[in-house]
Amino acid sequence: MPNQDTIPGLEIRETIDGQTATARVAAKRNAAKAEVKRSRPDPYIWGIYIMFLLISVVELFSASSTEVSSSNVYSPLIRHGIFLALGLGIVMWLQNTHYILMRRFAWIFAILSLGLLVLSTVAGVEINGAQRAIRIAGMTIQPAEVVKLSVVLLLASVLSKNQTPGGVTNRGIITAAIVVVVFAIFLYKDGLTNTILLMGVSISMFLIGGIQWSKFWMILGIYGLCAGSLLMIKKVNKNVTSDDFDNVKIEATAGNTTSTGRIDGREGTRNNRIVRWLEGVHPNDPIDDMNRQVIYSKFAQANGGLLGQGPGNSRESARLPLAFSDYIYSIIVEDTGFAGGSLLLLLFLLLVARAGRIAYKCSRAFPAFLIMGCAVMIVFQALVHMAIVTGIFPVSGQPLPFISKGGTSVLVMSAAIGMMLSVSRFAVTSGDKNEIKAEIKELPEDMQAANYSDYQNK
């Protein structure tokens, strides 16, 4: 007996050869997916990631002597190991997730991370003199770390959507620049280094996408104009003059820092760090609260020599502040010497090189942008950490990816590795025309733009 709720004949009009229209569409998509040969996650990226985890376990334990309690000497390692295990779970989950899903949630992820960033500036908790973290359900979250990955994902989405044979469209450039500037404004309050990192990663992604040189200089001009505007606003609000850098006088009294002729708060901290960096440290300088980290870091690196003192034999980890996070690279050099420090640097460079190789072979723009953006983000942060520890850059709190203590950083960087592995598995890199056609059918229309390397090779 026919259903009274159906319109007579509707089943006939919806069905062709015994198959509904919905089923035909689904069958078409499944056929397209079947034609794309899925690769295994890239073994080289996996190998580098495993090496990071091994180094992290050994060196975090070596650098955590100031945190060891008499009741449990393994407590710092256990806490860090939990985050490493969670990060490994994220990597394995994301490598089995098609990057299409990541693209769909790019804007939502970016808005949520911006909300967390704004929340940290108005109601955040202070850590090491900066109000840059928030507590949720007893956990401390560093929104700046989340923001870096969300901006990479969003820029990959925007730039790939606006990819053309000549580079990137004006709309794509303007949208991407606005995204970076908005996030940079909120990052600047307590994270100048993070702001510079964000802009550096975005510039790299513009260059990867084959941005026209005229537009590239326009982007630099926009960034420079925004930076100048922020500095002018700070000077007007704080009544700052150019003599502030010349009249810096720092005194350490009972562990409390006071100053004369300098700006108070985070702005003053930045300026004074730059001044001390320009002045440098000397062997005969008295050790105080202002130069303690820099001097003990130098001692650790000098004590490392060529081959180091051996893992766990660090002398300076017991007195170097934040040896387990902001200055862990100096402990690595002390334990493994110049050879070990150079090997770690080489691992990070190999990661970006491998990502570049995969990105070059991708047929579509989005996976190429995504894998390179993630790799550049990881490697840039590692290079900045190493530059700070070795004295090339002024002092600033930047964790060494995967190795420094810090749950948010470990989880975010693990997510970046997972996204890279997803691209290596699901993106077509073989150059086979049939697979490329199948991939195009599989992707939404706004993700079908060809990779810039394809335009170059034609």
Side-chain angles (χ1 to χ4, degrees), residues 62-75:
S62 176
S64 297
S65 59
T66 57
E67 284 204 320
V68 170
S69 62
S70 57
S71 59
N72 187 359
V73 296
Y74 297 106
S75 58

Side-chain angles (χ1 to χ4, degrees), residues 129-130 132 187-192 227-241 244-245 248 259 261-276:
R132 62 180 71 171
L187 273 177
Y188 178 76
K189 183 179 180 292
D190 284 317
L192 178 59
S229 299
L230 284 172
L231 291 175
M232 289 300 296
I233 292 172
K234 290 284 185 181
K235 287 186 177 182
V236 170
N237 291 340
K238 301 284 187 179
N239 195 23
V240 180
T241 67
D244 286 323
F245 283 99
V248 173
S259 62
R262 72 182 180 103
I263 316 164
D264 294 329
R266 294 301 298 171
E267 186 71 15
T269 300
R270 293 191 194 104
N271 292 345
N272 289 307
R273 283 175 173 177
I274 293 173
V275 171
R276 292 196 298 272

Side-chain angles (χ1 to χ4, degrees), residues 107 110 150-151 154-155 158 174-184 198:
W107 279 101
S150 69
V151 171
L154 189 54
L155 287 182
V158 171
I174 293 172
T175 305
I178 291 174
V179 167
V180 174
V181 168
V182 168
F183 278 92
L198 184 67

Side-chain angles (χ1 to χ4, degrees), residues 219 340 361 371 375 377:
I219 288 292
K361 295 170 69 176
I371 191 171
M377 178 193 71

Side-chain angles (χ1 to χ4, degrees), residues 46-180:
W46 257 113
I48 294 170
Y49 172 62
I50 294 299
M51 286 293 296
F52 286 150
L53 296 187
L54 295 176
I55 294 171
S56 179
V57 169
V58 173
E59 292 303 327
L60 194 281
F61 183 67
S62 176
S64 297
S65 59
T66 57
E67 284 204 320
V68 170
S69 62
S70 57
S71 59
N72 187 359
V73 296
Y74 297 106
S75 58
L77 184 61
I78 292 172
R79 290 196 302 269
H80 187 62
I82 291 173
F83 283 107
L84 291 179
L86 290 173
L88 180 60
I90 291 173
V91 169
M92 298 184 70
W93 169 53
L94 288 178
Q95 78 164 4
N96 294 318
T97 303
H98 200 295
Y99 58 82
I100 293 177
L101 189 62
M102 302 169 197
R103 160 68 174 74
R104 287 175 182 167
F105 291 97
W107 279 101
I108 296 175
F109 184 31
I111 292 172
L112 288 176
S113 66
L114 182 60
L116 291 175
L117 188 60
V118 173
L119 182 62
S120 70
T121 61
V122 297
V125 296
E126 188 172 300
I127 297 179
N128 298 328
Q131 186 177 322
R132 62 180 71 171
I134 56 177
R135 292 194 190 279
I136 299 177
M139 296 181 60
T140 302
I141 299 175
Q142 300 272 1
E145 299 297 321
V146 182
V147 160
K148 295 172 191 174
L149 184 59
S150 69
V151 171
V152 165
L153 182 58
L154 189 54
L155 287 182
S157 175
V158 171
L159 294 176
S160 63
K161 186 177 179 180
N162 294 277
Q163 192 78 10
T164 65
V168 183
T169 64
N170 290 334
R171 179 181 178 181
I173 293 295
I174 293 172
T175 305
I178 291 174
V179 167
V180 174

Side-chain angles (χ1 to χ4, degrees), residues 271-290:
N271 292 345
N272 289 307
R273 283 175 173 177
I274 293 173
V275 171
R276 292 196 298 272
W277 172 66
L278 293 173
E279 291 176 348
V281 293
H282 307 280
N284 297 325
D285 287 348
I287 300 176
D288 55 32
D289 288 347
M290 297 296 100

